[in-house]
Amino acid sequence: MTEGPGTDFHSHLIPGVDDGAADLAESRAAVEALRRAGVRTAVTTPHFDGSLTHAPAMAAERLAAFDAGFADLTGDAAVVASGVRLFRGVELMLDVPEPDVSDARLRLNGGRFVLVEYPGLQLPLANADYAIRALRDGGWQPVLAHPERYRNVDDSLEALAALRFAGAFFQVNAGSLLGQHGEGPRRRASMLLARGWAEYASSDYHARGIPAVAAARAELVASGAGEQAELLFAENPGRLVRDESPRPVAPLTASTRNRHSWWRALLHQFSR
Ligand SMILES: [Fe+2]
């Protein structure tokens, strides 16, 4: 199988606006690191609280900072020379049940997809699906960032099932697949792939260390899941940037496992 160029839609590359790149030098290095990891198209997604959408003046101020930072980023000669195509969106914190994402800057490359997360890496104990349904009812397509990282999701994945039923797509973090967020997230990321419940994998790169996308993609390919790797890291993110729906990702099953891979043990343990 030919490997398509990577597309990544979750990262924190805009200088000085969140806990990602602190300044333009870090942004520049981060773009270069993504390029070396095989990424040719990136949507960068600074943190943005959904509650701000109900405080228009504050939202305008924060988005103006993103505008200025994104202009600095995309105007930088080294970034331009890298050849990495850059687009923008946000990682929207669902700290209110009905965020207003009608401003195109709050959506991934201005299309219908919205990258969302819940506060504090905890799913709300009740009605977590409300915000997902509200976004869907508004005509938008929520994509839940790193579902495997929520601390109060147990291995039944029941709480996540409710969000999928409500219509969320799932984006796993490449680093989770490599165990960089700990054993629980690694196990749950594997379980999501075993169920075919992840449409996308992204770096969530904060401009520190090496983005995990190349290694995670290579692990999948080595374990016999080349088709899934292509969909998760290239085709489906590419479709998202073009505002197209993802193709289904086949569950990783016994037939997609092979030799000396951590997938073997995990999938044997959790395949249904
Ligand atoms: Fe993030």
Side-chain angles (χ1 to χ4, degrees):
M1 138 170 317
T2 52
E3 288 189 19
T7 293
D8 193 277
F9 63 73
H10 184 169
S11 62
H12 301 268
L13 308 178
I14 295 180
V17 296
D18 65 2
D19 57 344
D23 54 31
L24 193 53
E26 286 193 14
S27 301
R28 195 180 290 142
V31 170
E32 175 59 18
L34 283 168
R35 190 195 64 75
R36 270 190 259 121
V39 173
R40 294 293 175 271
T41 302
V43 184
T44 193
T45 50
H47 292 288
F48 187 94
D49 291 344
S51 54
L52 285 183
T53 66
H54 302 313
M58 288 169 71
E61 192 180 327
R62 183 131 176 86
L63 285 169
F66 292 177
D67 292 349
F70 190 69
D72 288 346
L73 176 67
T74 54
D76 180 79
V79 169
V80 171
S82 76
V84 176
R85 293 192 308 156
L86 290 169
F87 300 101
R88 60 185 283 196
V90 302
E91 182 174 15
L92 187 83
M93 182 69 78
L94 294 175
D95 59 345
V96 290
E98 296 186 32
D100 174 3
V101 297
S102 53
D103 188 312
R105 294 172 292 180
L106 299 175
R107 309 191 307 266
L108 297 167
N109 193 23
R112 67 182 187 276
F113 295 88
V114 186
L115 185 66
V116 299
E117 67 171 344
Y118 292 92
L121 286 178
Q122 302 275 345
L123 287 188
L125 293 177
N127 303 323
D129 58 334
Y130 184 94
I132 301 297
R133 288 180 201 281
L135 285 166
R136 295 264 307 182
D137 289 348
W140 315 119
Q141 175 57 58
V143 178
L144 181 64
H146 43 63
E148 74 282 0
R149 294 196 64 196
Y150 288 95
R151 298 190 186 101
N152 59 343
V153 171
D154 64 30
D155 287 353
S156 76
L157 304 185
E158 229 168 82
L160 296 178
L163 302 182
R164 280 194 81 74
F165 188 68
F169 291 146
F170 286 176
Q171 172 258 306
V172 298
N173 274 12
S176 295
L177 294 169
L178 300 177
Q180 292 177 355
H181 299 302
E183 189 47 39
R186 172 157 82 168
R187 190 172 64 248
R188 289 191 292 278
S190 307
M191 292 165 69
L192 289 169
L193 296 196
R195 291 189 184 190
W197 278 13
E199 281 76 22
Y200 311 102
S202 288
S203 67
D204 194 3
Y205 191 44
H206 279 69
R208 285 182 290 281
I210 295 171
V213 285
R217 191 172 172 180
E219 279 271 9
L220 279 177
V221 171
S223 66
E227 266 177 46
Q228 286 90 343
E230 182 73 13
L231 286 165
L232 292 163
F233 288 96
E235 182 166 353
N236 280 345
R239 293 176 65 85
L240 179 146
V241 170
R242 298 191 300 272
D243 206 29
E244 296 168 7
S245 298
R247 298 199 189 285
V249 180
L252 266 71
T253 61
S255 63
T256 53
R257 290 183 266 142
N258 66 11
R259 65 201 179 276
H260 60 75
S261 165
W262 49 268
W263 290 103
R264 176 186 290 273
L266 286 167
L267 292 175
H268 184 70
Q269 196 174 349
F270 294 113
S271 57
R272 304 190 308 168

